[in-house]
Amino acid sequence: MKHGPMSESLTVGLLLALAGGMLDAYSFINRGEVFATAETGNIVRLSIYLSMGEWREAFHYLLPILAFALGVIAAEALRRRSECRAGRPDGRPGRLRWQWQQPLLLAECGVLAAVSLLPLGPLDPLANILIAFSSAVQVDSFRKFRGCTGSTTMCTGNLRSGTELLFRFLVLPDPQAGEKASVYYRLILAFILGAVLCGRLSLLLGGRTAAVVCVPLLLAFALMF
């Protein structure tokens, strides 16, 4: 299986999935039971509150959905800009080469550091907006790992793809399908580990737990050079 650039390595994917699990658990545990990194749950809750006529509660879940959409737009704009600049010589042989996603990881760390300083309670909507936006940038900027298109901030797509490939591996059998299935299941396990870790850390650190998410993000950043 072709591995591609370091940004598409499984190690980077696992670190980002670990961060994704931590953030989803963080926003749910500490910031008003909102799933800031994956919007399906928020859309369901938005719909329920709309059906009940509870507009204020519905608005509470609408904000991260809109922030997530804006994050995708921002990531796509940055991707297009990087593609336009790709291959242009900079006249500096031997210069340390950055991949276009690396500054985004640093920016996400800055956002999470700011979130960790926001007091719990009245500013939870702002925290969820920031997390949703940065998570959308992450998931849109990192789409493929070891040749497999996957997600680092949610598990539904990974579970579907991994199970489909596992079926092919068991029925055909297809060794490549088995290898690809393991990629998806490892991403899911990393996400679960991140959520469990956040649950434990939240008991000790509360809202400050968001800053800890910077650790796997910075490790991924360093590995991409």
Side-chain angles (χ1 to χ4, degrees):
M1 187 187 300
K2 295 181 180 179
H3 289 188
M6 195 59 193
S7 61
E8 298 180 4
S9 71
L10 182 57
T11 304
V12 168
L14 294 177
L15 288 169
L16 296 179
L18 180 72
M22 293 180 71
L23 282 177
D24 219 16
Y26 172 82
S27 62
F28 185 85
I29 295 171
N30 299 290
R31 299 294 183 176
E33 298 186 351
V34 170
F35 294 107
T37 69
E39 303 310 312
T40 302
N42 294 333
I43 291 174
V44 171
R45 292 187 173 213
L46 168 68
S47 303
I48 291 173
Y49 283 117
L50 285 176
S51 70
M52 298 168 61
E54 297 186 14
W55 314 116
R56 183 175 180 179
E57 289 296 331
F59 187 70
H60 180 67
Y61 291 99
L62 176 63
L63 291 176
I65 296 171
L66 295 177
F68 191 93
L70 290 175
V72 172
I73 293 172
E76 285 301 308
L78 291 169
R79 183 193 302 276
R80 175 166 295 189
R81 181 180 179 185
S82 70
E83 289 174 350
C84 292
R85 298 177 60 183
R88 294 181 184 176
D90 59 9
R92 302 182 189 178
R95 182 186 180 189
L96 189 63
R97 186 181 180 89
W98 286 52
Q99 297 184 50
W100 70 273
Q101 299 99 324
Q102 285 177 285
L104 300 181
L105 291 179
L106 291 181
E108 184 174 1
C109 288
V111 168
L112 296 179
V115 168
S116 71
L117 298 176
L118 294 177
L120 300 180
L123 293 180
D124 287 350
L126 175 59
N128 290 326
I129 288 172
L130 293 173
I131 294 173
F133 182 88
S134 60
S135 295
V137 172
Q138 175 185 313
V139 74
D140 197 67
S141 302
F142 297 88
R143 301 180 179 182
K144 187 178 291 186
F145 308 100
R146 280 201 184 176
C148 300
T149 302
S151 171
T152 58
T153 65
M154 58 196 82
C155 293
T156 303
N158 293 341
L159 181 60
R160 186 207 65 81
S161 298
T163 305
E164 178 184 341
L165 289 164
L166 179 62
F167 175 82
R168 293 181 186 177
F169 171 71
L170 295 174
V171 173
L172 296 179
D174 181 355
Q176 283 195 345
E179 184 179 352
K180 289 181 178 179
S182 72
V183 171
Y184 288 108
Y185 284 120
R186 279 184 274 183
L187 289 172
I188 293 172
L189 288 175
F191 188 95
I192 293 172
L193 178 61
V196 172
L197 180 60
C198 179
R200 300 300 298 176
L201 289 174
S202 293
L203 296 175
L204 301 173
L205 303 177
R208 306 285 185 179
T209 307
V212 182
V213 186
C214 295
V215 175
L217 294 176
L218 289 175
L219 287 174
F221 166 82
L223 286 172
M224 287 172 60
F225 280 112

